[in-house]
């Protein structure tokens, strides 16, 4: 029977509960509309995987401190800000199955809410002198923006190689999980070399996490993400890149033509999905994902043994075995 988030969270259950209280307090505002939106966001939070990475890595590195709580809040504030802004950019009306902020309160309000969340994160760090934590997370936010722009640029030309794909997902997804682990380690007061090792571990987990997300595009599981949505959005993911690299000239041209011109046609999208499956793209991407997991677990084993380390191992497995 697969582990639940609650099982994995066991060594930090009390800390996560206290974090919830502290984070709710940091989301408060005297402006009624803003407070209403903050409550809406907090009530619809996900599994809290990112704060879990922060707290478990702090535990692995020695101790969970007040800086750990602030670091986890900083990550959540800045991450939530990027999600609110993303929904405006993508003109998306839903987030995790619920209406997005822009769907309920329109784009102008959503952009201002994202700005507010960014400023709360910045002030939380500056007011407490957490400049190293702020530097770690700010670098991740910069990389997320760069990764998004690189993907948008490449989507127009559909010429993404494996190397560029990995650079995009390293920036877009892995940089934030890497920041979570680096923040956790730094908040525990360890040497820079250990912080860097924690960051590298998080980056490998993040790459595996994104490949798993890309694989959902070709499956049938109910993941809150419609089948073939990446193809419709002209996103070149690892299974598709591999399949195109294996294809002959005419077949490759046919598939690229579908993605460029017929990505709104469900039958044509199904053709691309079948093409990828028949070309071994799913197996290739799964093997790549598992390789990153093995590297991450090996790095984690170089830290002292503890219940925190055991839970981190489980959390890594959870990220690639999840069904959504």
């Amino acid at each position: 029977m697969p582990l639940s988030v609650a099982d994995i969270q066991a060594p930090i259950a009390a800390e996560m509960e206290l974090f919830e209280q502290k984070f709710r307090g940091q989301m408060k505002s005297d402006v009624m509309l803003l407070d209403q939106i903050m409550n809406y966001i907090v009530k619809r939070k996900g599994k809290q995987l990112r704060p879990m990475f922060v707290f478990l890595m702090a535990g692995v590195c020695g101790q969970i401190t007040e800086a750990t709580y602030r670091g986890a809040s900083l990550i959540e504030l800045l991450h939530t800000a990027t999600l609110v802004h993303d929904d405006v950019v993508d003109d998306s009306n839903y987030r995790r199955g619920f209406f997005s902020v822009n769907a309920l309160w329109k784009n102008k309000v959503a952009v201002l809410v994202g700005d507010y969340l960014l400023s709360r994160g910045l002030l939380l760090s500056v007011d407490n002198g957490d400049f190293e934590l702020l530097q770690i997370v700010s670098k991740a936010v910069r990389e997320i923006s760069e990764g998004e722009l690189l993907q948008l640029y490449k989507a127009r030309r559909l010429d993404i190689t494996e190397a560029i794909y990995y650079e995009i997902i390293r920036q877009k997804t892995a940089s934030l999980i890497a920041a979570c682990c680096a923040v956790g380690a730094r908040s525990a007061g360890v040497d820079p070399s250990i912080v860097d090792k924690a960051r590298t571990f998080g980056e490998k987990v993040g790459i595996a996490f994104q490949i798993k997300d890309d694989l959902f595009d070709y499956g049938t599981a109910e993941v809150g993400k419609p089948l073939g949505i990446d193809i419709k959005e002209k996103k070149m993911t690892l299974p598709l890149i591999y399949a195109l690299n294996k294809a002959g000239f005419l077949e490759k041209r046919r598939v690229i033509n579908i993605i460029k011109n017929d990505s709104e046609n469900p039958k044509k999208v199904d053709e691309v999905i079948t093409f990828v499956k028949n070309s071994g793209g799913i197996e290739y991407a799964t093997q790549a994902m598992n390789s990153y997991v093995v590297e991450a677990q090996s790095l984690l084993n170089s830290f002292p043994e503890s219940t925190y380390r055991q839970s981190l191992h489980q959390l890594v497995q959870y990220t690639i075995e999840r069904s959504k």
Side-chain angles (χ1 to χ4, degrees):
M1 187 175 164
L3 282 166
S4 68
V5 172
D7 293 328
I8 298 166
Q9 214 181 75
I12 54 165
E15 286 86 350
M16 287 297 291
E17 199 172 318
L18 181 56
F19 167 71
E20 277 289 305
Q21 296 169 21
K22 287 175 180 281
F23 187 63
R24 280 175 185 268
Q26 281 143 6
M27 296 279 273
K28 286 276 181 197
S29 168
D30 294 332
V31 177
M32 192 180 294
L33 173 62
L34 200 46
D35 202 43
Q36 184 185 2
I37 297 170
M38 292 300 109
N39 282 331
Y40 181 81
I41 291 171
V42 167
K43 283 176 184 172
R44 281 149 190 82
K45 63 180 174 49
K47 301 182 189 79
Q48 298 289 76
L49 296 185
R50 288 168 189 83
M52 284 171 67
F53 273 110
V54 176
F55 283 102
L56 287 172
M57 186 53 81
V60 163
C61 290
Q63 58 178 331
I64 292 167
T65 65
E66 276 301 313
T68 312
Y69 288 96
R70 293 194 299 270
S73 290
L74 173 62
I75 292 271
E76 282 296 271
L77 286 163
L78 268 60
H79 176 57
T80 307
T82 63
L83 294 183
V84 171
H85 283 163
D86 276 354
D87 288 338
V88 174
V89 170
D90 297 338
D91 200 21
S92 176
N93 289 326
Y94 295 95
R95 168 70 59 183
R96 296 196 190 100
F98 296 98
F99 283 117
S100 58
V101 172
N102 53 299
L104 292 173
W105 287 281
K106 305 302 177 193
N107 285 349
K108 188 173 182 179
V109 170
V111 170
L112 292 170
V113 165
D115 293 346
Y116 173 77
L117 289 164
L118 282 169
S119 67
R120 287 305 295 252
L122 295 172
L123 283 170
L124 175 65
S125 297
V126 171
D127 290 348
N128 289 281
D130 296 326
F131 299 112
E132 286 182 58
L133 303 187
L134 182 58
Q135 185 180 38
I136 292 167
V137 182
S138 296
K139 184 182 175 188
V141 173
R142 185 199 74 203
E143 290 202 297
I144 291 166
S145 304
E146 288 176 347
E148 287 281 3
L149 287 165
L150 177 59
Q151 186 173 56
L152 282 170
Y153 171 68
K154 288 294 181 180
R156 291 175 188 164
R157 300 171 61 176
L158 296 183
D159 63 348
I160 293 180
T161 61
E162 266 196 46
I164 291 170
Y165 165 80
Y166 278 116
E167 181 59 14
I168 287 170
I169 68 169
R170 185 194 67 75
Q171 291 186 309
K172 270 188 65 181
T173 304
S175 62
L176 193 61
I177 296 178
C180 291
C181 296
V183 162
R186 188 67 199 91
S187 72
V190 295
D191 292 339
S193 61
I194 305 298
V195 173
D196 194 52
K197 184 164 71 168
R199 188 201 62 77
T200 304
F201 159 78
E203 186 175 281
K204 291 182 185 298
V205 176
I207 290 171
F209 182 95
Q210 185 58 53
I211 295 173
K212 175 69 174 181
D213 219 51
D214 293 344
L215 284 165
F216 284 142
D217 210 44
Y218 299 91
T220 54
E222 184 58 48
V223 295
K225 170 182 175 179
L227 190 66
I229 193 70
D230 287 339
I231 296 165
K232 288 170 191 167
E233 292 178 357
K234 300 179 175 60
K235 288 179 182 173
M236 300 284 281
T237 58
L238 189 58
L240 178 58
I241 291 166
Y242 174 80
L244 286 171
N245 284 341
K246 274 195 70 184
F249 174 75
L250 290 176
E251 179 76 338
K252 184 174 182 178
R253 191 170 69 176
R254 183 185 73 83
V255 173
I256 286 176
N257 187 57
I258 290 173
I259 297 166
K260 275 186 176 175
N261 304 309
D262 284 313
S263 62
E264 293 300 319
N265 183 334
K267 285 185 180 177
K268 291 292 186 181
V269 170
D270 285 344
E271 278 184 42
V272 177
I273 291 171
T274 302
F275 159 74
V276 170
K277 286 180 174 178
N278 291 343
S279 302
I282 308 302
E283 292 80 4
Y284 180 79
T286 302
Q287 190 178 14
M289 175 185 75
N290 289 332
S291 294
Y292 276 98
V293 168
V294 168
E295 289 177 31
Q297 301 284 33
S298 176
L299 259 178
L300 186 54
N301 282 333
S302 66
F303 287 92
E305 190 177 347
S306 66
T307 55
Y308 299 110
R309 193 183 81 172
Q310 185 183 351
S311 274
L312 256 186
H313 274 298
Q314 293 168 345
L315 185 54
V316 172
Q317 282 305 121
Y318 177 83
T319 63
I320 61 155
E321 290 172 4
R322 66 201 161 98
S323 59
K324 58 181 177 178

